[in-house]
Amino acid sequence: MGCKVRFGIMSTAAIAKDVMIPAIRRADYAEVVAIASESGKAKQAAKELGIPKAYDSYDQLLDDPDVDAVYIPLPNSLHAEWTIKAAKKKKHVLCEKPAALCAEDVRRMIEECEKNGVLFMEAFMYRFHPQHERVKQLLAAGEIGEVKYMRTHFSFYLQDRETNIRMNDQLGGGSLFDVGCYCVHSTRHILDTEPVELFVQSCFDPHYSVDLTTNGWMRMENGVLAQFTCSFDMLFQNEYEVVGTKGKIVVSRAYRPDVDGGEGRITVATADGNVREETVAGDQYALQIEHFSRSILEGTPLLYSPECMIQQARTLDACRTSMKTGAIVRL
């Protein structure tokens, strides 16, 4: 394998061309060697981006012995199929979130990857920005006392709805899967606990049957209450707030600090009236690639376990059940 992980890119999607390929090139232990598309766009993309190999099918890319790992930004409904196919070809898999449309599929993906000795990671890039570890340090130090509540929000106004795959229910569209999954994931990560019950309500698009806005609350194992909002129908916001007995912490660039040059912002306000702001810089996409690549090269564990991915999927399953039935769901 050498000193760098050789990536094949399975799609010419904008996130691959504009975000992930540049991030792989910023990482020290990774390189892009091939790209594939079944829409006939691979050769042009390879020419524009300076990628050595281009394939007109994903199977051809998986058969390339020079590809060590694949990045999968395909529609959500295709994640399970192509992760399993990649694992059978002994390729490590970095797959866009959500890993799959249900927990059972995530289990199958994990089992296939483990059986074939390859790593599999869900691409929650926000997790690799150092601002979140700083928040956890502040909480552990008791800066805001005992944590009682967490609120998360991720939204943007979706344009061109007639042609956007996010509006296709059959492909796993909707705001919960697209941006709400970050809210759920960050709540679990920052509070370091799992939900035991939840209730979710959504506003659905009448033509496309996907949720445009979803709001939910979760009761966590440690007693903390958590609320989340995600939407395709609101202005761009990406933040979370943790409230304790002695103060609160607000992270105003929680999921996309890259749009502000990679600079995260943490505001700590305490009951005695003190307010301070910290900035934390980081290249979350490149850090994600670096971590995944080093784990492959060095045989070290990934930051979050397969069980963590299953728990994330179980929570999203419960959210979808609640949003469709109008009932509280206990996990």
Side-chain angles (χ1 to χ4, degrees), residues 23-321:
I24 291 170
R25 287 173 168 163
R26 293 195 301 273
D28 292 332
Y29 299 97
E31 61 182 333
V32 180
V33 298
I35 188 168
S37 173
E38 298 192 340
S39 64
K41 298 177 180 178
K43 289 182 174 62
Q44 183 60 33
K47 182 179 179 181
E48 292 173 359
L49 298 167
I51 298 172
K53 299 180 184 180
Y55 296 106
D56 290 325
S57 80
Y58 303 132
D59 284 312
Q60 288 176 328
L61 183 144
L62 294 179
D63 284 333
D64 187 338
D66 292 331
V67 172
D68 304 314
V70 294
Y71 166 62
I72 301 178
L74 297 168
N76 298 334
S77 59
L78 299 178
H79 290 179
E81 174 188 353
W82 286 103
T83 293
I84 289 170
K85 286 182 177 180
K88 288 179 177 178
K89 295 291 185 175
K90 309 297 184 183
K91 309 300 184 186
H92 303 280
V93 180
L94 177 63
C95 181
E96 267 305 327
K97 50 75 206 164
L101 300 187
C102 64
E104 183 54 40
D105 279 352
V106 176
R107 287 190 185 94
R108 291 194 302 113
M109 295 155 79
I110 289 169
E111 288 172 2
E112 197 65 45
C113 288
E114 289 179 344
K115 184 170 74 174
N116 286 282
V118 295
L119 293 185
F120 166 45
M121 191 172 83
E122 191 174 14
F124 274 109
M125 79 298 176
Y126 90 92
R127 169 75 171 76
F128 294 89
H129 195 285
Q131 65 178 335
H132 307 293
E133 287 310 306
R134 177 57 180 155
V135 169
K136 297 189 83 168
Q137 290 171 4
L138 293 169
L139 295 177
E143 288 269 346
I144 62 169
E146 184 180 355
V147 174
K148 295 293 185 179
Y149 171 76
M150 183 169 176
R151 174 188 61 83
T152 57
H153 184 113
F154 198 177
S155 66
F156 66 98
Y157 191 81
L158 181 62
Q159 307 284 350
D160 303 322
R161 300 186 181 195
E162 294 81 6
T163 58
N164 198 301
I165 64 169
R166 293 177 175 89
M167 298 298 290
N168 189 324
D169 184 51
Q170 298 303 308
L171 296 180
S175 68
L176 176 66
F177 273 153
D178 194 69
V179 284
C181 62
Y182 288 91
C183 299
V184 170
H185 194 279
S186 59
T187 301
R188 297 174 49 251
H189 173 55
I190 295 299
L191 298 179
D192 196 25
T193 188
E194 300 294 340
V196 292
E197 63 178 3
L198 55 79
F199 175 69
V200 173
Q201 289 183 310
S202 300
C203 295
F204 289 89
D205 184 276
H207 302 293
Y208 298 100
S209 301
V210 300
D211 65 299
L212 293 177
T213 298
T214 290
N215 181 264
W217 67 262
M218 301 184 288
R219 185 184 300 276
M220 311 303 286
E221 283 178 328
N222 60 2
V224 174
L225 291 178
Q227 184 177 12
F228 71 86
T229 301
C230 58
S231 183
F232 291 158
D233 245 1
M234 301 181 190
L235 82 165
F236 176 61
Q237 294 185 83
N238 69 123
E239 66 176 29
Y240 63 73
E241 175 185 54
V242 187
V243 183
T245 53
K246 298 179 181 179
K248 68 177 182 178
I249 296 171
V250 177
V251 181
S252 57
R253 300 169 179 172
Y255 310 116
R256 293 297 309 276
D258 54 293
V259 302
D260 292 287
E263 187 177 88
R265 181 178 293 167
I266 302 168
T267 303
V268 183
T270 53
D272 57 10
N274 286 325
V275 179
R276 76 174 191 275
E277 187 174 282
E278 299 183 14
T279 57
V280 182
D283 185 347
Q284 61 186 19
Y285 286 101
L287 288 169
Q288 172 184 245
I289 294 295
E290 202 79 321
H291 171 70
F292 186 63
S293 299
R294 291 191 68 166
S295 292
I296 292 170
L297 294 169
E298 299 171 5
T300 52
L302 294 168
L303 268 178
Y304 50 94
S305 66
E307 182 58 35
C308 184
M309 286 193 287
I310 292 172
Q311 285 293 103
Q312 172 73 7
R314 286 186 66 242
T315 305
L316 291 178
D317 282 353
C319 287
R320 295 181 78 203
T321 297

